[in-house]
Amino acid sequence: MIWYPYQQMKTMKDPYKIIDAEGVWLYTEDNRMIDSVSSWWSVIHGYKHPALTEAIRSQADRFSHVMLGGLTHDPVQKLSDKLENWLPGDLDCCFFSDSGSVAVEVALKMALQYYVNLGDQKRTKILSLTNAYHGDTFKTMEVGDDEDYHFILEAYGPSPSVIHVPTQIPALEKAFELCHEELNCMIVEPLLQGAGGMRMYELSFLKRARELCDQYGVLLIFDEVATGFGRTGHRFVADQVLPDILVLGKALTGGYIGHAVTVASRRVYNGFYDDDPNKALMHGPTFMGNALACSAALTSIELFEQEDYLSKIRRIEEITRREMEGFSDPRVREVRIMGGCVCIEVYDPSVLKGYQQFAYKRGVFSRPFLNYLYAMVPYVIQEGELVQVLQTAREWFQTGPSR
Ligand SMILES: *Cc1c(COP(=O)(O)O)cnc(C)c1O
């Protein structure tokens, strides 16, 4: 049997069984629906894209996977060259892994070992944000602050090595003032906190974080697993404020095969580059640099560039603002829009109960969580399809819930 994610198996309703998918559409036996969450924010080019399918197929004709321990191959070399050229600043050194959580683990390990390698054993603390989400493995849960995952705090108590601050500059300055001697790194989901509730904050906060990190020699890590590849309207938030380590996942392969990458600046890389074998980065996921995933990622990036995805995302934001204009409801706390993300936050989560089935009947797949009804659509969505997604949400508040 299948043990499904984030579900009480005893009370879970049957999942929709998908038999085919193309563009923004998911097909069940008797219905079709627009995937308004892009399979956890990853399928930016839509399903069954001919170029992505072909990239995987032609690589599979040669080989699907060889390990990077003592071996290398064209797809992984081409992808790392591409990322080195495409990413801002000196974010040049690509460490691949099979999921976003692992890539965040690698980023934290890099940051912690960086200072050990430099002979500084005092810097052991990690600064992170309230409502942060960085993955489901143990260290990522520890730096995270998502209500769904608080069992770890109840079971083990708050982590002595993680300090959480809200996305407000005075609180940030205070944390640096108090702890800078022990601070190793700061990790953030820049501009948009996803699983912690689609919370949006100002670029000025990140600019100040960069200044403080420079002032006190603290490494800045951007977890752009969700925000990367245009979701905030920026290609990467790292284009605006340069981190020392950047983590990408989800849309890296266009959502076709799980893969992620931790990209280090030259400075971080040089902290490991030495004759001493003890200064090496001791990590190596079995499927890092998977050839099918790298081929898909390379093609995904080419599509992103050639078809001017940033203008597609601007259009999505414009249509979203237009369609949500004038929308208000006493049960709604706030409507937030940024790039290719829209979130309707309600006061009471029970208001969203039944929405998934309501949307299904109207040809939209949606997966609200807690107090958040959101959409992060594939960038290839047509105007009419996007309007359908947004109107379905508005209609729910007009006719849906019986109160
Ligand atoms: C989804 C996500 C992760 C975890 O990625 P997985 O591939 O699910 O392990 C980490 N950080 C952020 C910001 C995410 O949204």
Side-chain angles (χ1 to χ4, degrees), residues 6 40-41 98-104 133-137 140 189 192 194-195 223-227 247 249-250 259-260:
Y6 305 123
W40 270 328
W41 328 336
D98 35 27
S99 77
S101 300
V102 174
V104 173
Y133 175 82
H134 293 291
D136 289 347
T137 55
T140 64
E189 294 159 272
L192 171 63
D223 175 355
E224 293 218 49
V225 171
T227 56
V247 186
K250 290 197 165 98
H259 222 61

Side-chain angles (χ1 to χ4, degrees), residues 6 50 93 96 127 167 181 190 219 224 242 244 261 264 278 286 310 337 353:
Y6 305 123
C93 311
F96 293 98
L127 194 59
T167 51
E181 282 181 359
L219 295 174
E224 293 218 49
L242 191 66
D244 302 293
V261 64
N278 291 323
T286 305
L310 287 178
I337 299 168
K353 208 164 167 245

Side-chain angles (χ1 to χ4, degrees), residues 318-336:
E318 275 163 27
I319 295 167
T320 305
R321 290 195 187 279
R322 185 192 74 206
E323 292 300 311
M324 296 313 289
E325 179 145 352
F327 171 73
S328 74
D329 186 282
R331 293 158 294 187
V332 170
R333 185 155 184 260
E334 190 179 41
V335 178
R336 296 190 279 272

Side-chain angles (χ1 to χ4, degrees), residues 86-89 91 129 188-194 199-210 220-248 304 310 313 338-341 379:
W86 204 51
L87 295 174
L91 291 167
L129 301 180
V188 299
E189 294 159 272
L191 291 188
L192 171 63
Q193 297 182 289
R199 290 161 201 266
M200 299 163 188
Y201 63 93
E202 298 288 323
L203 196 62
S204 56
F205 179 86
L206 294 173
K207 289 189 171 149
R208 187 70 187 121
R210 179 69 271 178
L220 183 59
I221 303 172
F222 276 9
D223 175 355
E224 293 218 49
V225 171
T227 56
F229 301 97
R231 190 53 73 181
T232 65
H234 304 286
R235 195 181 61 142
F236 300 98
V237 184
D239 289 325
Q240 308 299 313
V241 173
L242 191 66
D244 302 293
I245 301 173
L246 173 66
V247 186
L248 302 175
F304 195 96
L310 287 178
I313 296 157
M338 182 187 276
C341 175
Y379 301 146

Side-chain angles (χ1 to χ4, degrees), residues 241-311:
V241 173
L242 191 66
D244 302 293
I245 301 173
L246 173 66
V247 186
L248 302 175
K250 290 197 165 98
L252 173 66
T253 65
Y256 277 58
I257 299 177
H259 222 61
V261 64
T262 310
V263 190
S265 67
R266 290 277 167 183
R267 170 184 157 211
V268 171
Y269 179 79
N270 287 338
F272 291 76
Y273 194 78
D274 201 279
D275 291 321
D276 181 356
N278 291 323
K279 290 190 178 174
L281 179 64
M282 297 305 282
H283 210 98
T286 305
F287 293 108
M288 72 184 290
N290 174 269
L292 299 179
C294 290
S295 300
L298 204 54
T299 301
S300 171
I301 293 171
E302 283 165 9
L303 288 172
F304 195 96
E305 280 184 300
Q306 285 161 11
E307 298 181 15
D308 190 12
Y309 269 56
L310 287 178
S311 74

Side-chain angles (χ1 to χ4, degrees), residues 41-56:
W41 328 336
S42 66
V43 184
I44 56 174
H45 309 288
Y47 297 96
K48 213 187 283 184
H49 193 294
L52 287 163
T53 303
E54 178 52 30
I56 293 167

